Each structure stands twice: as structure tokens, then as C-alpha cells.
Amino acid sequence: MSLLDKIKNEYESQTVKVPPRQDELLPKAEVSLSETQLVSQEEETTKPVQSTLFLEKELASLPSITNKKIGVRLEEGIYDELRKLCQENSITVETLLEAYFTVCSTQPKLVKKIIEEAQFRLKKRTKAGNIRSLLTKTKNLKDR
């Protein structure tokens, strides 16, 4: 068998097996056999419209997501732990951040403690940034 034949066979054969969905996008309607036989052509054409309306209604009941994105820079150790936590629990960093915020916002003492920690970290980051800037300027003066 030539390489071309092998490639053709691989292309034609199914290599990806997709398991059936475990969840349902649309609820199953229990319909008796006699009702199924009496379905008219008109009902068949309205079915996609009803499905669309059902999905739109369900979507309206779910929270909307903003299109604004924020770039977040984190300490290396915290970033690694955060990614590990998200991977272990099959969630995204964004949803974890949302969950942290919603849980913490209901506890004023915890919010105050978090704000204090954030202000402390901001001071450390500002100081580190100023030191890096001074080192760069000093290095540029020496190179002249």
C-alpha cells in the first residue's frame, strides 16, 4: 500500500468517536404514537420556531456576560496555584473569580479584609515597579 493510499484510508475512516450528549438542550416531549401519526405539515414547520423561542426564553433567564475583557497579571506562585485549582475542578479562572466575588460580597468583614490585603499588595507592586525603573535608568546611564 502506498503512502497516498494510506492517507486516503485514514481520511475516509472515522477516527473520532463522539459520545452522545449527556444533557438535553431541549426537554423531551412525551408524545403518544397516535399523536405522532396526526402531526400535520404545519406543526412540523412551527417546531423550529418553538424550539428557538424556548431557547431564547431560557437564555434570557441566565446571566449575561459582558464583552469587556480585563488582563490580569498575577504573582507566579499564585498564578500556578490558581490554574491548578481550576484544572482540578474543570472551571475557568473567570468563573472562579466571579464565584469568589459573589461569595465574598455577601460578607462585609471578608470584603474589608480582602481590600486591606489588596492595598498592601498594591503598595508592594508599586515599590517593585519603582525599583525596576530605577535599576533600568541606572543601567542606561552606565551604558552611555
Side-chain angles (χ1 to χ4, degrees), residues 9-124:
N9 287 340
E10 287 177 4
Y11 178 75
E12 292 171 356
S13 66
Q14 292 182 345
T15 56
V16 178
K17 295 180 180 177
V18 180
R21 289 186 64 102
Q22 297 297 320
D23 61 339
E24 293 291 329
L25 291 177
L26 299 174
K28 292 183 179 179
E30 295 183 17
V31 181
S32 68
L33 187 58
S34 62
E35 289 175 334
T36 305
Q37 294 170 351
L38 298 175
V39 172
S40 67
Q41 183 67 24
E42 182 179 300
E43 290 174 336
E44 288 179 11
T45 59
T46 61
K47 202 172 192 177
V49 173
Q50 291 172 344
S51 297
T52 303
L53 291 175
F54 172 78
L55 289 174
E56 287 174 353
K57 185 178 178 182
E58 186 174 2
L59 181 61
S61 70
L62 298 171
S64 62
I65 306 297
T66 182
N67 287 332
K68 303 289 183 194
K69 295 181 181 180
I70 56 173
V72 179
R73 298 180 334 169
L74 304 170
E75 289 180 21
E76 290 177 11
I78 291 175
Y79 174 78
D80 295 337
E81 290 296 317
L82 197 59
R83 294 286 303 191
K84 182 180 174 185
L85 177 67
C86 289
Q87 288 175 349
E88 288 173 354
N89 293 287
S90 301
I91 57 175
T92 63
V93 174
E94 291 84 1
T95 55
L96 180 65
L97 179 61
E98 288 173 345
Y100 278 153
F101 180 78
T102 56
V103 169
C104 291
S105 65
T106 62
Q107 302 175 28
K109 288 182 182 179
L110 185 57
V111 171
K112 184 179 179 184
K113 187 174 180 180
I114 290 170
I115 296 296
E116 289 171 358
E117 178 68 19
Q119 289 171 338
F120 173 74
R121 288 175 170 277
L122 179 62
K123 286 179 184 175
K124 285 187 357 182

Side-chain angles (χ1 to χ4, degrees), residues 121-134:
R121 288 175 170 277
L122 179 62
K123 286 179 184 175
K124 285 187 357 182
R125 285 185 176 202
T126 302
K127 185 175 182 179
N130 289 337
I131 291 171
R132 280 192 295 274
S133 176
L134 286 172

